[in-house]
Amino acid sequence: MNTSTDTTGAAKAAPAGGTGTPGPGWFKRRVIGTKADVVPRITFAVVAFLLIVVAPGMLTAFRLDLLAKYLVFAIVAVGIALAWGRGGMLVLGQGLFFGLGGYVMAMHLQLADAGPGEKPMFMSLTGASDLPGLWEPFRSPVFTLVMVVALPMAVATLLGLLVFRSRVRGPYFAILTQALAAAFVILLVGQQDLTGGTNGLTVSTFFGLDLAKNSDKLTLYFIVLAVLLVVFLIARQMVKSRYGQLLVAVRDGEDRVRFLGYSPTTVKVVAFATAAGMAGVAGALFVPIVGIISPTSLGIVPSIEMVIWVAVGGRVSMAGAIAGALLVNFAKTELSEAMPSGWLYAQGLLFILVVAFAPRGLAGVGDWWRENRDRFDRFRPGARTAAPASGAAAGEGA
Amino acid sequence: MSTDTATAAPTRRDPTAPWPILQIRGLGVTFGGFQALTDVDLDARQGEVHFLIGPNGAGKTTLVDIITGLTKPTTGSVRFDDVELTGHKEHRIVHLGVGRSFQAATVFEALTVAENLDIAASFRMGLRGLLRQARGRRPEVAEALEVTGLHDVADRPAGALAHGQKQWLEIGMLLTQKPRLLLLDEPVAGMSPDERTRTGDLVRYVAKDCTVLVVEHDMDFMRRFADRVTVLHEGKVLKADATVAEVQADPVVQEVYIGRAKDDRNSVSRAAAATDTTTEETA
Ligand SMILES: Nc1ncnc2c1ncn2[C@@H]1O[C@H](COP(=O)(O)OP(=O)(O)O)[C@@H](O)[C@H]1O
Ligand SMILES: [Mg+2]
């Protein structure tokens, strides 16, 4: 949490009378920001330019599709960074929430493909007579869009209330979430008539977009990008708010928080449910991009991979988590094309290296530079003195 | 132990506030067959600094844990301002006006000093308010920074503070919550004589609007800052609600506690050092 930014920003914004009021210095204050903001904001602008302009213009349809998939994974990663990096909850079963969102969306898309009153294709193959009652409400696009977020959040809230109240934490919590993801897969496979079993559910359209058409896939790419931006902004606002500090406080000293009059259960449930909602949204967007959702995308292995992206990118940093998801998945695609079995070992090694030597991940490199730059500045004329906020606090900027 | 500090000890028995805001009756707790507290009674009146002393393992921390809801008692009751505290969740008890510190200072090391205070001060805020960014500095936070002497390090991470400063930060965090009863578990452990004096002054400042129960080993610190004293020994009250002079004159207390402290060279040298009046500001 970069407080030096918070306090100076607040002090400057106050006299102007609210945010966004144009006035003298408005551009400098809102767009350029304080000195500490400059590097992150330039990075943000460059990355945004690359993703919005360069990538759609330069990449082949196939590559852009892959990028869209990585961006979907980045949405999950932001949630994990919030729950794990900030809240200390090692969520090893995000595949569960990813799957809930994905299946909710796939059910709706299959019904939409089938047409009014019709059953999805796989059901006529298995010979089911009527559309199961569980499917019926997902004909409604509005209900579906609500459930994509609400269902994972509701499940996470219930689970969190149960688990955090009985003070289950650390590895016990991690293993529990993982077990639930595994159980969900077993359920999906077992209920073949309802879920398509191991084959999963395939889709070919997305709210009127034809997923075989490149122009429509481009639209989908921009939808994913927009959703990622919204998710990132939500997470950043949470991290920078008092709640975000409280979350870190719960991570580092749950008892102290309790004796300050807060319920750590509530604090944790909010972050856990938010992460679940983000995973749900990602699952829902994964479906049209890949064209299919099946148990293989959300079991134990995918759930662990999701955590690895975040570990590599930097778990306390939302931007780091996004970078981690993009880079690790890019590497996975490249390397598994070259040597399919090698990737598993490479990924394992990468994870161990990061955990052992760079607990703050890639984002930690930026922090390291910020903390040590006065050493380099000595060699420049007009060297600045060391910024007062450094160490742990500076290491947790959004 | 020098006699001049003993005679100078504040023995303010306040007759205008006889009503005990904290009433503990018949409190007992067992941990798997071990009787940690037995039939403990304790009264603390509004605005007094009440010391709870006793040798290691006497049950002092356990008593604080019970008052604040961390440990459930086997028998007895804890009434604060005529509300029964036992059975409430920890955070509910805080909302009833009871704050506590821990034997080892616990502050949030990843957050800055000001953020630590701000979080403490925001404890009555709803989730919606918490989700907004903190703007400016609340008056309670500014006051706490002032009285704890942490003003100059407000934007430093709390993890970078010295041991004594962490204790003050923790007390400052409690101060922002405007509690009516404050329980401090060994607030001067590991502090230099000057830091002890400053902590004592801070406790006195807090006690302006608040009852303070201080768990402490240090006899000299008790002499200088206690209004009333309760002595605990092996889970039982040895001397209830006495003055410092009464405690010092009591032969039984001398035997089990002060006698022991006298033998302890460390304690004697610390007490001697504490009377030294050099003030070396550390903050
Ligand atoms: N949770 C617990 N389980 C078992 N024994 C405990 C527990 N808490 C405290 N005790 C025991 O109770 C006694 C009193 O401990 P404590 O209250 O910490 O003493 P003090 O703070 O006076 O030094 C000690 O013998 C300690 O070992
Ligand atoms: Mg103790």
Side-chain angles (χ1 to χ4, degrees):
Chain A
M1 233 146 290
N2 207 332
T3 333
S4 57
T5 320
D6 286 359
T7 44
T8 48
K12 280 182 189 171
T19 49
T21 315
W26 174 86
F27 181 79
K28 184 169 187 313
R29 196 168 55 240
R30 301 296 306 171
V31 182
I32 300 173
T34 60
K35 239 180 194 167
D37 286 342
V38 171
V39 175
R41 286 190 184 194
I42 290 175
T43 313
F44 181 83
V46 170
V47 171
F49 179 74
L50 286 175
L51 289 175
I52 295 170
V53 180
V54 178
M58 306 261 296
L59 295 180
T60 62
F62 173 71
R63 291 275 156 196
L64 194 67
D65 232 30
L66 284 177
L67 181 58
K69 190 169 84 173
Y70 305 162
L71 292 172
V72 160
F73 290 152
I75 296 174
V76 187
V78 170
I80 294 176
L82 191 69
W84 179 36
R86 295 289 168 159
M89 293 165 271
L90 180 50
V91 283
L92 273 182
Q94 288 305 85
L96 166 63
F97 306 116
F98 186 85
L100 284 174
Y103 271 86
V104 161
M105 179 58 79
M107 282 159 79
H108 170 73
L109 296 182
Q110 282 222 337
L111 289 171
D113 282 353
E118 294 299 314
K119 280 183 302 180
M121 198 129 64
F122 85 92
M123 284 189 190
S124 24
L125 293 176
T126 56
S129 51
D130 289 314
L131 186 70
L134 181 68
W135 277 66
E136 199 54 55
F138 293 102
R139 281 200 195 278
S140 156
V142 176
F143 180 76
T144 302
L145 289 178
V146 171
M147 288 313 274
V148 155
V149 185
L151 185 61
M153 287 189 85
V155 171
T157 302
L158 274 177
L159 185 68
L161 285 177
L162 229 82
V163 167
F164 300 137
R165 193 167 291 183
S166 40
R167 302 191 186 171
V168 174
R169 7 180 182 184
Y172 303 101
F173 173 76
I175 290 166
L176 184 74
T177 56
Q178 178 141 96
L180 285 170
F184 183 53
V185 166
I186 292 169
L187 185 77
L188 288 172
V189 173
Q191 301 292 313
Q192 187 160 5
D193 295 348
L194 213 55
T195 63
T198 45
N199 297 333
L201 302 174
T202 48
V203 304
S204 53
T205 64
F206 180 72
F207 296 97
L209 295 180
D210 181 351
L211 298 177
K213 252 168 66 187
N214 281 345
S215 61
D216 281 8
K217 295 210 97 171
L218 184 64
T219 309
L220 186 58
Y221 169 82
F222 281 116
I223 292 174
V224 171
L225 205 53
V227 172
L228 174 60
L229 178 69
V230 170
V231 162
F232 174 70
L233 291 178
I234 289 174
R236 217 176 72 111
Q237 173 62 26
M238 287 178 82
V239 162
K240 290 204 161 195
S241 71
R242 283 198 175 94
Y243 169 79
Q245 296 169 0
L246 199 54
L247 188 60
V248 170
V250 169
R251 179 193 72 190
D252 295 344
E254 198 170 318
D255 274 332
R256 176 71 276 176
V257 172
R258 192 172 281 126
F259 289 104
L260 285 178
Y262 296 99
S263 156
T265 302
T266 312
V267 175
K268 287 164 108 175
V269 161
V270 169
F272 184 45
T274 305
M278 290 173 178
V281 170
L285 288 170
F286 176 85
V287 172
I289 285 168
V290 179
I292 180 169
I293 184 132
S294 73
T296 48
S297 320
L298 34 113
I300 288 182
V301 174
S303 296
I304 292 176
E305 281 183 324
M306 292 171 185
V307 170
I308 294 179
W309 309 332
V310 177
V312 170
R315 64 189 185 208
V316 298
S317 157
M318 304 301 125
I322 292 175
L326 298 186
L327 291 175
V328 174
N329 279 293
F330 175 72
K332 180 181 180 174
T333 308
E334 295 301 309
L335 283 178
S336 39
E337 271 169 21
M339 35 168 194
S341 61
W343 169 247
L344 265 182
Y345 298 106
Q347 182 173 250
L349 186 68
L350 183 66
F351 183 61
I352 291 168
L353 285 177
V354 166
V355 168
F357 299 110
R360 279 190 264 161
L362 284 175
V365 178
D367 293 329
W368 177 87
W369 184 78
R370 227 170 294 147
E371 281 156 29
N372 292 286
R373 79 178 140 195
D374 46 304
R375 289 193 207 161
F376 304 110
D377 279 3
R378 259 186 304 165
F379 304 110
R380 274 196 253 149
R384 88 185 93 205
T385 47
S390 66
E396 304 208 351
Chain B
M1 235 170 293
S2 44
T3 32
D4 51 350
T5 30
T7 46
T11 50
R12 278 167 288 163
R13 193 195 273 273
D14 190 355
T16 57
W19 177 67
I21 192 164
L22 177 70
Q23 280 185 307
I24 298 177
R25 290 291 175 270
L27 207 64
V29 68
T30 46
F31 295 118
F34 171 69
Q35 186 86 24
L37 288 179
T38 314
D39 200 20
V40 170
D41 292 352
L42 191 147
D43 282 347
R45 276 154 299 270
Q46 190 124 31
E48 78 182 7
V49 177
H50 196 117
F51 269 59
L52 185 63
I53 63 168
N56 251 327
K60 307 180 297 291
T61 300
T62 305
L63 185 57
V64 171
D65 287 349
I66 292 175
I67 298 170
T68 55
L70 183 61
T71 302
K72 306 275 168 272
T74 327
T75 58
S77 76
V78 178
R79 294 187 77 77
F80 171 67
D81 201 10
D82 266 345
V83 179
E84 181 63 45
L85 294 187
T86 56
H88 281 297
K89 281 238 161 84
E90 296 94 327
H91 59 96
R92 282 293 311 143
I93 293 175
V94 175
H95 281 258
L96 292 170
V98 182
R100 77 169 287 181
S101 75
F102 288 88
Q103 209 164 323
T106 35
V107 296
F108 307 121
E109 312 225 323
L111 304 179
T112 67
V113 169
E115 284 170 343
N116 269 276
L117 293 167
D118 183 78
I119 282 202
S122 308
F123 78 119
R124 290 194 194 276
M125 218 179 234
L127 185 60
R128 205 190 278 243
L130 289 172
L131 281 169
R132 276 195 287 271
Q133 221 161 303
R135 298 227 169 271
R137 200 163 270 170
R138 296 153 158 274
E140 304 89 36
V141 172
E143 182 198 358
L145 283 173
E146 219 48 69
V147 301
T148 54
L150 295 173
H151 201 272
D152 295 337
V153 292
D155 291 323
R156 291 252 184 94
L161 295 184
H163 168 76
Q165 291 177 310
K166 282 185 190 166
Q167 281 285 8
W168 298 330
L169 174 56
E170 194 174 18
I171 296 174
M173 286 161 75
L174 297 168
L175 187 59
T176 64
Q177 304 198 313
K178 306 203 179 307
R180 288 179 301 145
L181 172 65
L182 203 55
L183 310 162
L184 304 177
D185 199 352
E186 304 199 12
V188 298
M191 280 189 182
S192 72
D194 295 329
E195 289 175 329
R196 280 160 194 258
T197 304
R198 294 194 53 175
T199 308
D201 293 341
L202 188 55
V203 168
R204 277 277 157 218
Y205 179 87
V206 173
K208 280 192 313 178
D209 322 292
C210 175
T211 306
V212 187
L213 187 70
V214 184
V215 171
E216 203 32 82
H217 271 307
D218 189 82
M219 295 303 289
D220 181 70
F221 186 69
M222 177 198 81
R223 264 198 300 278
R224 288 161 68 200
F225 297 105
D227 290 327
R228 311 289 295 174
V229 183
T230 293
V231 185
L232 215 55
H233 179 55
E234 290 175 352
K236 298 193 182 91
V237 174
L238 197 63
K239 186 91 182 156
D241 200 17
T243 62
V244 172
E246 282 165 11
V247 166
Q248 289 187 306
D250 191 292
V252 188
V253 176
Q254 288 286 336
E255 174 63 28
V256 308
Y257 188 73
I258 298 176
R260 204 180 286 197
K262 246 183 199 163
D263 297 337
D264 179 9
R265 283 173 188 281
N266 245 344
S267 171
V268 173
S269 60
R270 254 199 263 125
T275 50
D276 195 354
T277 45
T278 45
T279 45
E280 218 175 274
E281 301 294 286
T282 40

